[in-house]
Amino acid sequence: IDLEIGTDARVAAASDAIAGTLNYEQLAKRLLEFVGEAQYQMVEALATAIGGIVIREFGASWVKVSVAKPGAIPAARDVGIVIERRRADYPTP
């Protein structure tokens, strides 16, 4: 899993403090826990769920999620998907 995350880093850049930006350590822990318990059959569904966590729980304005599945095709190193999502893709319930 690889992520590119859109967030406003101006406060963190000015203060040089983690409190001003997205906490990557907390995000990594949350995603490790989530992926460890997830039972998705499709990488598309997993990538979409990960995007929802990054945006809903961590306040990102956009996210690009890449999920690879090693060994899915014998002659390939891995196969996967890349998705891009914005806040509008995850409306508040």
Side-chain angles (χ1 to χ4, degrees):
I1 298 169
D2 289 311
L3 302 173
E4 291 181 33
I5 303 168
T7 188
D8 186 346
R10 289 177 284 193
V11 172
S15 67
D16 197 27
I18 191 71
T21 192
L22 188 144
N23 187 318
Y24 305 110
E25 181 180 8
Q26 288 179 357
L27 174 60
K29 287 179 182 179
R30 173 67 174 102
L31 292 180
L32 282 171
E33 175 187 331
F34 174 76
V35 172
E37 296 174 359
Q39 296 187 14
Y40 292 99
Q41 299 298 308
M42 303 291 294
V43 292
E44 294 85 348
L46 178 60
T48 299
I50 289 169
I53 290 170
V54 174
I55 289 174
R56 286 185 182 134
E57 296 181 27
F58 290 86
S61 56
W62 60 268
V63 65
K64 183 176 181 180
V65 182
S66 302
V67 177
K69 189 174 182 180
I73 298 176
R77 186 181 77 203
D78 58 36
V79 297
I81 188 166
V82 177
I83 66 162
E84 293 183 37
R85 298 291 185 267
R86 300 197 170 280
R87 285 185 186 151
D89 295 315
Y90 299 99
T92 307

